[in-house]
Amino acid sequence: MADDATVVSQVTVLPDEIAQTISTTTTVTPADANDKWYYKLTSVSNSSTDLMAGNFLDYTAVDDDTAPTAIHTADKVKFLYVKNTDSSNAVYIVLDAGTASTTETDALYVGAGQALAIQCPNATVADVHAVSSTGTVDCIVAALLHDVA
């Protein structure tokens, strides 16, 4: 389906002598008209803040006078993709509305040049916070959000 997101991953684990390659494909599909896509090149600073803010994508037909629909802090995060475009700094993400930090034990780590794709259907936009390891890091953020408004 044209509105789907598909994540294909392959990882090789264990020492060379007994290495195993594990492959998987995950497809995320909007369930109804309230599931909408969000996409933004986001500057993540070294101060914890919401990872997502702004508007949904207008990927359905709208006229030229229709403003984009704003995302809300209560919108559910059904799928989240973050690509760290920086060449040397990491990003740390929390899903519990806590303060993201480089020392947070439950923070998700996205290293320089790396990406993260997860499904977190019980998290809201307000729950997802991010911080950089230092300076400002640009990240591509794409999400399938359930619009509760």
Side-chain angles (χ1 to χ4, degrees), residues 18-66:
I18 58 171
Q20 295 294 311
T21 299
I22 303 165
S23 300
T24 185
T25 300
T26 302
T27 301
V28 180
T29 304
D32 56 39
N34 291 321
D35 287 354
K36 301 174 183 175
W37 286 103
Y38 169 88
Y39 178 89
K40 189 174 186 180
L41 180 61
T42 301
S43 293
V44 177
S45 73
N46 59 356
S47 178
S48 180
T49 190
D50 291 345
L51 180 63
M52 293 174 282
N55 301 306
F56 289 107
L57 289 176
D58 280 335
Y59 61 93
T60 57
V62 293
D63 64 33
D64 62 339
D65 296 324
T66 302

Side-chain angles (χ1 to χ4, degrees), residues 111-148:
Q114 296 178 350
L116 169 75
I118 57 172
Q119 295 182 57
C120 42
N122 295 316
T124 65
V125 168
D127 292 336
V128 183
H129 296 161
V131 67
S132 68
S133 57
T134 185
T136 300
V137 173
D138 287 340
C139 290
I140 297 169
V141 178
L144 180 61
L145 305 177
H146 182 77
D147 186 3
V148 298

Side-chain angles (χ1 to χ4, degrees), residues 11-22:
V11 61
T12 301
V13 295
L14 304 172
D16 290 344
E17 299 80 25
I18 58 171
Q20 295 294 311
T21 299
I22 303 165

